[in-house]
Amino acid sequence: GEVDMDQLNMRKKSLYEYRVVIFDLDGTLYYQRPFRLRMLRHLAGYVMAHPLRFRDLLIIKTYRSVRERWEDCERECEKDPGYAKLGLDDRQYRYVADRMKTDPARVKRATDHFMLEMPLRFLASYRDEILAGAVDRLREKNITVVIYSDYPVENKLRALGIRADACYTSADARIGSMKPDPKGIAVILEDLGCPASEALMIGDRYEKDGLAAAGCQVDYIIVGKSRKKRADIHAHIRA
């Protein structure tokens, strides 16, 4: 079938013609929907066994929603001078803590445990094998592969069995803002000495990954949520 051109904005015929290919991680290098269903089943069992941890799941729910609408929350933070000295992660922990009437350390512990550590054992089953293979081929051709995510990436990459040349997250001191802010991609291009026309971004959300790339005049591919919806993109990547 036709590749949806909203998903594919490339000046070159193939991703193997770029100097740098930047991948998002969550929802891109693995299929997020079936993975989340697996996690929900696991968490349901976990909370039945540990009912006192239920409040931590409410903290996680709030943390996720705060990160999704962070631009609005950030504007609220600007009214409170107490946030000014904090890095991105600590601003978010404190913002959630203020709303949940708890302390930022508990928010960090909950997010570390439920969002960064617990999922690692399940990730490999949901890996996108076509994209994982593309990463290997890119590196074989000496094309620089970068992972750039709003969340920490190194442990997830290890769990997925994927190797990259460089990793960046939104919380890095030189970035300090989340997608769709193009600052992260600008930092990556600067570090690698790569012009925008020689870089490609691959992500799963146009409103995050696509807009961040477009903000730096970088080409992008937006992949679908399911194997079926990725069929055209997969064919294009294999070509």
Side-chain angles (χ1 to χ4, degrees):
E2 284 285 306
V3 175
D4 182 348
M5 294 314 290
D6 289 339
Q7 296 180 310
L8 197 63
N9 182 45
M10 294 170 66
R11 279 168 276 205
K12 301 180 188 297
K13 287 182 181 175
S14 158
L15 69 162
Y16 302 104
E17 293 177 19
Y18 290 88
R19 263 177 54 191
V20 172
V21 180
I22 305 165
F23 287 85
D24 170 54
L25 196 155
D26 296 297
T28 299
L29 293 175
Y30 65 92
Y31 294 100
Q32 197 162 40
R33 283 178 179 168
F35 165 76
R36 279 195 173 161
L37 288 173
R38 176 72 182 82
M39 279 299 299
L40 282 171
R41 290 198 301 274
H42 181 73
L43 288 172
Y46 181 89
V47 169
M48 287 174 73
H50 307 86
L52 295 178
R53 298 298 299 269
F54 181 68
R55 183 160 167 75
D56 284 341
L57 294 191
L58 296 179
I59 289 172
I60 293 299
K61 188 169 185 287
T62 302
Y63 179 78
R64 279 190 181 282
S65 88
V66 161
R67 285 179 65 99
E68 278 298 310
R69 54 188 182 85
W70 181 242
E71 286 178 29
D72 296 332
C73 302
E74 184 92 277
R75 281 193 282 275
E76 287 182 51
C77 294
E78 286 167 4
K79 299 171 188 170
D80 181 343
Y83 284 93
K85 295 175 185 171
L86 302 175
L88 179 66
D89 280 347
D90 288 331
R91 287 203 302 280
Q92 292 175 342
Y93 296 145
R94 181 177 159 184
Y95 187 91
V96 172
D98 288 349
R99 265 125 206 90
M100 296 292 291
K101 305 291 189 284
T102 185
D103 63 288
R106 181 173 183 179
V107 176
K108 184 181 187 320
R109 282 197 305 274
T111 56
D112 283 354
H113 180 69
F114 289 106
M115 293 179 68
L116 301 182
E117 295 158 13
M118 193 179 273
L120 294 178
R121 71 188 86 166
F122 304 120
L123 273 179
S125 304
Y126 302 96
R127 184 170 95 147
D128 182 328
E129 296 300 338
I130 307 297
L131 289 187
V135 168
D136 290 341
R137 282 199 301 283
L138 287 162
R139 297 185 75 225
E140 284 165 14
K141 293 173 183 286
N142 293 317
I143 296 164
T144 303
V145 171
V146 177
I147 309 297
Y148 168 42
S149 172
D150 281 334
Y151 289 95
V153 297
E154 276 88 351
N155 290 339
K156 286 181 180 174
L157 276 188
R158 269 196 291 276
L160 288 164
I162 293 173
R163 297 182 65 169
D165 298 302
C167 296
Y168 290 79
T169 74
S170 297
D172 291 349
R174 290 167 56 228
I175 299 174
S177 60
M178 296 176 67
K179 303 169 191 168
D181 188 326
K183 188 174 178 185
I185 291 182
V187 166
I188 292 167
L189 296 179
E190 183 183 350
D191 283 358
L192 297 174
C194 179
S197 60
E198 294 292 323
L200 175 72
M201 173 85 202
I202 301 179
D204 69 315
R205 298 178 66 182
Y206 172 75
E207 69 275 15
K208 297 276 189 183
D209 306 303
L211 288 178
C216 285
Q217 286 80 53
V218 164
D219 294 356
Y220 58 82
I221 296 174
I222 304 300
V223 298
K225 304 292 184 193
S226 66
R227 282 178 179 82
K228 187 177 179 183
K229 287 185 176 172
R230 291 189 185 192
D232 289 340
I233 295 290
H234 281 163
H236 189 80
I237 283 170
R238 280 191 176 114

